[in-house]
Amino acid sequence: MFRLPSFDLIRISSIIALSASMIIGSIALRGVLDQNQRAGASLVELQLFELATAAATAITKERRPLELALGEEPGEAAATTNELRAARGDTDRALDRFRAGVEATTLRDSVNFKFLTALLRDERRGADALLALPVKDRQISLQLRVARGMSSISETFVPFVDKTAQRVIQADENLAGRVNVARLLGALYESATRLPSEVMPALKWSEVIPPEAVMTSMRVQQRILALWDVGVSQLEFGPSSPRLREAHEEIRSVYFGKGFPFLVRAIETYSRRPLNSTEHAKRISEVYAPTTLPILRMRNLYVDAMMNEAVEIQKSTLIQMKLVVSLAVLILVMTATAAWVLYRQMLRPLFGVRDQILALCERRPIRRDRYDGSVLAVKSLYNALETLEARDRQRMVLEEERAILAEKLRTLSETDELTALPNRRGLFVRLEKFAGGGRNFTAILGDIDHFKVVNDTHGHGAGDEVLAAFSSLLRRRANADVIAARYGGEEFAIVLRSERAEDALTFAEELRTEIEGLVVETSAGPIRITASFGLANEAGPVASWQTLFSVADKALYEAKAAGRNRVRLSNATIAALAKPTAEPKTARSRIAAA
């Protein structure tokens, strides 16, 4: 077999290396130039993104002085009115700066500022009209409409921010993660400032928070927690800047450690009883509002960090271009030496690196070879292998976190959003762990009487409030031996575990009596309701829950047919109550046998 002499081989290799060096130098130089251009383009788009986020923040900040002014008499709100006027001026100036930035780009054809300004003008007029009224005439519903109107402005502005963010990502896709984190923090700040808007009108009036406002605030709370759950991993594994780490810890300790639980507890407390004075409501606002500022500061830090990085890249690329040229010359000089070093200190170790990377990718045990050469680049590769292994371990941790998130989503899929009770799917999941031998189980199906009339007469909003009030009664009665769930529509399921069937009968009759005396305060006015119940009893373990609920459903149908607002027993339950003393005297007028 013909082989070239070693010298010829080295010479040919040197020529090839020289040519390759020139090519590599030109490619590297082109890469630096591209990086410089990309940094310049991303800096321009980041400046527009900063203007958009500043305008979004100004719109959000306008909400608080407005809410404070709504709680003060027109003649006594000079300071708050001046603060509101200043906030509106800040919003207008921020929007003008953003509009001027948009007009200089192709984005001007896809951003409808006329609609936004018209909507903002209308909402401000509505707010001013309400502020002109005496405090006693500012109904809670009107204040909520004004607060939600201002929130709708923020929601309308979200697509504007998203479009500028997309332009940043198109300019430099490496910024996608941090831009999305900045957007997430902006959404978190908007939701955090919106949370008190739903409940403060009632607190200022020293009234119990309306159920509809409580439910809306709960949805906002869930959004805040969901945003934090999604963003916390990105914040923890993001840039290692000390200022960002401090801001992250400040959000965790100040907002989620103080402000958020403080307001949630206040909402839970005053959804059941009113405040003693409006000064207490003002105190809640003063304590909570400052805790949202760390979120805004961290969002601004992310935006500033990206802009500073783009500026630094522009500066560094000029140095890199000089460095690339110098390195190309140096490579030409060192080619002869590199040819000799190439195999012994680079190629052979690289083959070892390749084998170890393949083993790592295939999750096979890795045999780590020690590198004894003096080439720093190869040493760096071996260090990179260690980093790759560490990243692989981090990826496994992230997979476990995703599994936890999937479990949270599963829990949400088993919960009814309106009533916060388990839905039908969640009910049967819980019943799998609920059943056990040696005890009686009673399935109760309850149905609100004439619920369609409630919806048709008072509207579906009032109907939802009736359902929420009904489910609130059930939640208070739920415990380790009682499961309550929304079975579908206005129908609810209750499963009791007890030694005696009489306990289930007493439970159902007490619940029916409590509902009969309940007056539901809705947005359409007070509504009285009654409910019918069907009971089916079986000694554990239960062979088929579906069958037991079918029997209870038949009993419920009989209760409806018998005139409603009563408890109906299945034949098996009647048999369990065969003793003369089994039926309580208070229930006999309402209970009939199926």
Side-chain angles (χ1 to χ4, degrees):
M1 180 177 178
F2 174 77
R3 292 183 179 179
L4 285 173
S6 299
F7 181 80
D8 292 339
L9 181 60
I10 294 175
R11 185 172 56 184
I12 294 173
S13 300
S14 299
I15 295 173
I16 295 174
L18 288 171
S19 302
S21 299
M22 296 176 64
I23 296 172
I24 291 173
S26 62
I27 293 174
L29 187 59
R30 176 62 182 272
V32 173
L33 289 172
D34 290 342
Q35 187 179 13
N36 183 274
Q37 294 175 356
R38 186 166 58 250
S42 63
L43 180 60
V44 172
E45 300 302 337
L46 279 169
Q47 290 170 344
L48 185 61
F49 178 69
E50 183 184 38
L51 292 176
T53 56
T57 301
I59 294 172
T60 302
K61 286 184 174 180
E62 186 177 326
R63 189 184 305 155
R64 184 170 183 267
L66 173 60
E67 293 170 358
L68 293 175
L70 289 173
E72 300 176 356
E73 289 290 349
E76 302 174 355
T80 308
T81 302
N82 291 335
E83 185 180 351
L84 175 60
R85 188 179 299 111
R88 287 178 174 179
D90 292 341
T91 301
D92 293 338
R93 286 188 292 273
L95 287 174
D96 289 339
R97 288 192 295 269
F98 178 54
R99 183 187 292 108
V102 168
E103 290 297 328
T105 67
T106 57
L107 194 61
R108 62 180 179 275
D109 298 327
S110 59
V111 176
N112 190 351
F113 277 101
K114 291 183 178 179
F115 174 77
L116 177 67
T117 53
L119 184 61
L120 181 60
R121 182 176 60 253
D122 291 342
E123 293 298 337
R124 286 176 175 176
R125 286 176 178 174
D128 292 340
L130 187 59
L131 289 172
L133 298 175
V135 171
K136 62 183 180 64
D137 295 334
R138 299 172 187 172
Q139 300 177 11
I140 294 178
S141 59
L142 296 177
Q143 294 188 41
L144 283 174
R145 194 206 70 78
V146 169
R148 290 171 181 171
M150 292 306 301
S151 297
S152 69
I153 301 297
S154 296
E155 294 172 356
T156 303
F157 196 76
V158 169
F160 292 43
V161 179
D162 291 344
K163 288 178 180 179
T164 59
Q166 286 299 119
R167 291 176 65 90
V168 174
I169 296 172
Q170 291 173 2
D172 188 355
E173 61 184 8
N174 295 324
L175 297 175
R178 280 179 284 177
V179 168
N180 288 331
V181 168
R183 293 164 63 190
L184 182 145
L185 289 169
L188 182 60
Y189 175 71
E190 196 281 331
S191 298
T193 56
R194 181 180 179 182
L195 180 57
S197 301
E198 296 294 332
V199 298
M200 291 308 294
L203 299 183
K204 292 173 184 176
W205 279 61
S206 300
E207 294 187 4
V208 174
I209 301 173
E212 186 268 340
V214 174
M215 294 300 296
T216 303
S217 70
M218 290 177 64
R219 287 193 291 270
V220 177
Q221 294 172 32
Q222 292 172 356
R223 173 174 170 78
I224 291 173
L225 294 175
L227 287 170
W228 182 248
D229 286 342
V230 171
V232 67
S233 61
Q234 299 182 51
L235 295 173
E236 289 178 348
F237 294 102
S240 57
S241 167
R243 295 182 64 190
L244 288 175
R245 286 199 301 269
E246 291 172 4
H248 181 206
E249 289 303 320
E250 189 178 12
I251 294 174
R252 189 190 298 275
S253 60
V254 175
Y255 182 71
F256 286 99
K258 178 183 177 183
F260 182 77
F262 170 81
L263 185 56
V264 170
R265 285 194 299 270
I267 293 173
E268 291 175 352
T269 300
Y270 301 117
S271 62
R272 297 187 294 270
R273 60 184 177 84
L275 286 169
N276 295 327
S277 68
T278 56
E279 290 298 322
H280 198 176
K282 186 176 182 180
R283 172 61 180 163
I284 291 176
S285 177
E286 290 174 350
V287 171
Y288 177 80
T291 64
T292 63
L293 297 179
I295 303 174
L296 180 60
R297 284 196 289 270
M298 187 165 190
R299 197 277 308 277
N300 293 338
L301 280 176
Y302 259 87
V303 177
D304 292 341
M306 287 186 289
M307 295 184 65
N308 292 336
E309 181 179 343
V311 173
E312 290 299 322
I313 289 175
Q314 282 190 311
K315 294 179 180 178
S316 65
T317 49
L318 296 176
I319 300 174
Q320 290 177 24
M321 283 188 284
K322 297 178 181 179
L323 182 61
V324 167
V325 174
S326 300
L327 288 177
V329 174
L330 182 61
I331 289 173
L332 292 176
V333 174
M334 298 298 296
T335 299
T337 305
W340 178 77
V341 174
L342 179 64
Y343 178 75
R344 292 189 58 185
Q345 297 202 26
M346 293 186 66
L347 290 180
R348 186 168 58 186
L350 287 176
F351 290 147
V353 171
R354 179 202 61 187
D355 295 337
Q356 292 180 59
I357 291 176
L358 291 175
L360 182 62
C361 293
E362 296 171 2
R363 298 290 176 88
R364 291 188 283 107
I366 299 176
R367 181 180 61 84
R368 184 168 300 284
D369 295 329
R370 182 178 179 182
Y371 177 70
D372 297 325
S374 59
V375 181
L376 296 179
V378 179
K379 284 186 177 181
S380 299
L381 284 177
Y382 275 79
N383 293 335
L385 268 179
E386 296 178 358
T387 304
L388 186 60
E389 290 177 349
R391 292 293 176 86
D392 188 66
R393 289 192 295 270
Q394 291 177 358
R395 184 168 60 252
M396 295 177 67
V397 172
L398 290 176
E399 289 174 357
E400 293 176 359
E401 292 178 352
R402 291 191 189 98
I404 294 173
L405 180 58
E407 178 63 21
K408 291 182 180 178
L409 294 176
R410 183 194 64 78
T411 300
L412 290 175
S413 70
E414 296 174 0
T415 304
D416 180 66
E417 181 180 3
L418 175 63
T419 64
L421 290 172
N423 55 24
R424 185 179 296 198
R425 176 183 177 184
L427 171 64
F428 284 100
V429 170
R430 286 162 175 76
L431 289 178
E432 292 178 0
K433 303 177 181 178
F434 191 65
R439 302 187 74 176
N440 291 334
F441 293 87
T442 302
I444 304 175
L445 284 180
D447 188 274
I448 300 175
D449 297 329
H450 302 295
F451 184 72
K452 185 177 184 301
V453 175
V454 174
N455 280 335
D456 293 343
T457 304
H458 303 285
H460 289 277
D464 289 345
E465 294 172 6
V466 169
L467 291 174
F470 190 94
S471 63
S472 178
L473 294 179
L474 298 184
R475 283 198 304 275
R476 290 200 297 269
R477 290 176 174 268
N479 53 47
D481 292 321
V482 178
I483 293 179
R486 186 179 182 184
Y487 204 66
E490 67 271 22
E491 194 171 25
F492 293 80
I494 309 166
V495 178
L496 287 81
R497 177 171 56 192
S498 62
E499 296 293 344
R500 303 186 309 159
E502 292 90 336
D503 295 338
L505 177 60
T506 302
F507 178 93
E509 182 58 27
E510 289 177 351
L511 181 60
R512 184 202 63 76
T513 303
E514 185 176 0
I515 294 170
E516 185 180 26
L518 177 66
V519 178
V520 182
E521 296 294 338
T522 71
S523 56
I527 298 176
R528 287 185 174 272
I529 61 171
T530 60
S532 303
F533 297 89
L535 278 69
N537 180 266
E538 183 174 342
V542 177
S544 171
W545 289 106
Q546 290 283 7
T547 302
L548 190 60
F549 280 116
S550 298
V551 175
D553 187 59
K554 293 179 181 178
L556 173 61
Y557 178 80
E558 292 295 331
K560 291 285 188 179
R564 297 181 171 83
N565 192 23
R566 63 195 64 231
V567 178
R568 196 67 144 181
L569 311 178
S570 68
N571 291 333
T573 307
I574 294 174
L577 298 171
K579 295 181 181 180
T581 59
E583 184 178 302
K585 294 180 180 180
T586 59
R588 290 176 181 171
S589 63
R590 290 288 184 180
I591 303 171

